[in-house]
Amino acid sequence: LKGITIMPCDSEWEFAKLVIRSSAFALVTLREHALCSHFTWSNATGMAARLKLSTTHPLRRFIEPFMFHAANANAVGIYLLLSEKGMFHRGSAFSYKGLTSASQDYLQTFHYETFLDEPKKKKKKKKKKTLLSLKTI
């Protein structure tokens, strides 16, 4: 489907919808859920709490129920989900090279920012309309 425009009247329309929907779901699950939520923010929050807050600090005591076993779950998740022949590799249309490429792309473009930085970033960045672009490797 790369470089091809498919219209609703074309015979490939249903297949194209399946490819786009599946690819978008896979990338959102990989990037936003696994890499961003679990492996980045969850790990960063847990490490910061353990390294910088005392065991009696109110913030650490507040987040502890939410962070219980998070580091262990994330460590296991790397091997079960993201390894070659892991669940994400076998359960998606990605080759292992494509899976690692998508992961590396996220890691190279990620940067920490606060919630207060987000509105500033949106003001600076002018929205430009683009078509959905998917890597196929």
Side-chain angles (χ1 to χ4, degrees), residues 6 14 16 27 30 38 52 55 57 72 80 83-84 93 99 103 105-106 109 113-114 121-122 133 136:
I6 299 173
E14 290 301 318
L27 286 174
L30 172 67
H38 287 281
K52 299 296 182 182
T55 56
H57 192 283
N72 184 52
L80 290 178
S83 63
E84 188 167 10
L99 178 62
S103 300
D105 179 56
Y106 166 77
T109 59
E113 58 188 22
T114 68
K121 187 175 89 174
K122 285 183 181 178
S133 174
T136 54

Side-chain angles (χ1 to χ4, degrees), residues 6 16 33 46-47 52 58 62 78 80 86-87 112-113 117 126 131:
I6 299 173
H33 183 79
M47 284 177 49
K52 299 296 182 182
F62 172 74
I78 288 173
L80 290 178
M87 292 175 73
Y112 285 100
E113 58 188 22
D117 292 335
K126 289 184 179 180
L131 296 174

Side-chain angles (χ1 to χ4, degrees), residues 88-107:
F88 200 90
H89 179 210
R90 288 181 293 146
S92 72
F94 285 113
S95 65
Y96 188 65
K97 182 179 176 185
L99 178 62
T100 57
S101 175
S103 300
Q104 289 170 351
D105 179 56
Y106 166 77
L107 294 172

Side-chain angles (χ1 to χ4, degrees), residues 29-42:
T29 301
L30 172 67
R31 291 175 62 105
E32 305 305 320
H33 183 79
L35 296 175
C36 185
S37 297
H38 287 281
F39 303 137
T40 303
W41 290 110
S42 173

Side-chain angles (χ1 to χ4, degrees), residues 107-124:
L107 294 172
Q108 290 170 354
T109 59
F110 178 81
H111 63 278
Y112 285 100
E113 58 188 22
T114 68
F115 289 115
L116 298 175
D117 292 335
E118 186 67 24
K120 293 175 195 171
K121 187 175 89 174
K122 285 183 181 178
K123 283 182 183 177
K124 287 182 184 177

